[in-house]
């Protein structure tokens, strides 16, 4: 992996000792620095993305999936580690704990990665960030996790409902306890399960720059799968693809906007040269949609 690194920005990120050819080590750094310094993980990832240029977008996608996925499922992953190391969990060095976390995430959630590779790469990281004892620990815990994976997942199902929901969906217990005051057990289960689902990605085509038919024809040519919606210029993207790889990303041919937000602008049904007042218009999705529907005429006052 070739990287173009600005030394000044590299010092800002404090990644001087990170091997930038090792995608898992980059994920380890982003996860560890975010947890240790209470940084927003997305801010860390965006800063990295702005300062380090990767020649292959698949590398960045891997880093994002591994880092975000580990963080998103942290409560579940920590449950497995605690189960396997017993009372030693709180004694684990920070980097070793995070190496175990990203190792377990790869084994559990990234089926395209051979389990042996997940273990071996984690062991290699432990050699750099630990000592002989922690290297053996990482190797043993991850291999034990592979052997006992079914047993561990079953143990979650046997827990009381609130504990099960917290671990299974990595939802903090205080949130579950708070919601349980307002919802039945069945409603609580459905609510938390729905929050764990991957949201649909909707694109609203910018008709000021490209027609709907022209844009969709281009997606067809590129074999990008989509689904039409009740709003003519809004589609649901079905293909799993990096945002930057979608046709028209740099040209501004589309805007990420949920279907419900697109429907609002259609209900307003603005006409050419209308004067519109848009209350609470941040970040501007519906405002720009209304502008497109008016063909960039009239006036919009955003408050």
């Amino acid at each position: 992996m070739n990287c173009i690194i600005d030394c000044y920005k590299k010092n800002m990120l404090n990644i001087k000792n990170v091997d930038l050819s090792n995608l898992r080590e980059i994920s380890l750094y982003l996860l560890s620095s975010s947890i240790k310094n209470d940084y927003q993980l997305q801010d860390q990832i965006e800063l990295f993305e702005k300062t380090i240029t990767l020649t292959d977008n698949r590398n960045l996608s891997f880093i994002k999936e591994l880092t975000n996925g580990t963080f998103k499922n942290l409560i579940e992953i920590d449950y497995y580690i605690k189960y396997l190391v017993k009372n030693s969990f709180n004694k684990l060095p920070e980097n070793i704990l995070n190496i175990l976390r990203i190792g377990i995430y790869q084994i559990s959630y990234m089926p395209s990665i051979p389990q042996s590779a997940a273990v071996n790469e984690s062991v290699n990281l432990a050699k750099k960030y630990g000592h002989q004892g922690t290297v053996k620990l990482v190797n043993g815990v991850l291999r034990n996790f592979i052997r006992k994976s079914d047993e561990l997942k079953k143990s979650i199902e046997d827990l009381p409902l609130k504990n099960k929901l917290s671990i299974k969906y990595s939802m903090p217990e205080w949130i579950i306890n708070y919601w349980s005051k307002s919802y039945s057990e069945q409603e609580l289960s459905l609510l938390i399960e729905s929050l764990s689902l991957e949201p649909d990605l909707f694109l609203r085509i910018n008709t000021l720059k490209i027609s709907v038919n022209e844009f969709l024809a281009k997606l067809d040519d590129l074999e990008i799968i989509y689904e039409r919606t009740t709003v003519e210029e809004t589609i649901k993207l079905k293909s799993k693809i990096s945002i930057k790889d979608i046709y028209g990303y740099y040209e501004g041919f589309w805007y990420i906007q949920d279907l419900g937000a697109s429907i609002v602008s259609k209900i307003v049904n603005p006409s050419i040269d209308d004067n519109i007042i848009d209350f609470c218009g941040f970040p501007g999705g519906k405002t720009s949609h209304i502008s497109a529907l008016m063909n960039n005429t009239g006036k919009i006052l955003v408050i």
Side-chain angles (χ1 to χ4, degrees), residues 94-259:
E94 178 187 356
N95 279 324
I96 298 303
L97 174 58
N98 287 326
I99 289 170
L100 287 172
R101 285 166 168 167
I102 65 174
I104 287 178
Y105 180 80
Q106 290 170 78
I107 295 167
S108 292
Y109 289 96
M110 301 179 77
S112 62
I113 298 176
Q115 293 180 341
S116 58
V119 174
N120 292 337
E121 292 299 327
S122 298
V123 168
N124 289 334
L125 285 176
K127 290 177 180 178
K128 178 174 181 177
Y129 290 95
H131 49 76
Q132 186 176 1
T134 52
V135 170
K136 290 181 179 179
L137 182 143
V138 167
N139 183 60
V141 169
L142 293 182
R143 293 188 184 282
N144 210 13
F145 173 71
I146 293 172
R147 287 193 296 269
K148 295 185 175 182
S149 181
D150 291 340
E151 173 189 330
L152 286 164
K153 294 182 187 301
K154 184 180 182 303
S155 71
I156 296 175
E157 296 298 328
D158 294 338
L159 294 172
L161 180 64
K162 292 181 184 179
N163 301 104
K164 179 176 76 172
L165 293 174
S166 174
I167 295 168
K168 188 175 181 179
Y169 298 106
S170 284
M171 185 72 66
E173 285 191 12
W174 70 265
I175 294 179
I176 294 175
N177 289 331
Y178 180 78
W179 282 339
S180 66
K181 298 175 183 178
S182 303
Y183 299 102
S184 67
E185 288 191 349
Q186 182 180 12
E187 292 170 332
L188 183 65
S189 298
L190 290 173
L191 172 62
I192 295 174
E193 181 180 359
S194 68
L195 292 174
S196 70
L197 299 176
E198 192 73 26
D200 292 323
L201 178 62
F202 291 92
L203 303 182
R204 195 250 303 157
I205 301 163
N206 183 0
T207 54
L208 293 174
K209 292 193 171 186
I210 190 171
S211 71
V212 172
N213 289 337
E214 184 182 356
F215 182 78
L216 296 184
K218 188 64 178 179
L219 293 190
D220 290 335
D221 290 342
L222 296 171
E223 298 183 346
I224 296 176
I225 302 172
Y226 60 87
E227 182 181 298
R228 301 296 297 269
T229 70
T230 53
V231 176
E232 180 186 6
E233 58 270 27
T234 298
I235 62 171
K236 180 196 293 185
L237 202 66
K238 307 291 284 186
S239 292
K240 296 294 183 181
I241 184 173
S242 171
I243 295 296
K244 289 185 177 180
D245 290 337
I246 302 173
Y247 172 69
Y249 172 83
Y250 294 100
E251 295 82 0
F253 287 167
W254 47 266
Y255 188 93
I256 295 178
Q257 186 174 42
D258 283 343
L259 179 60

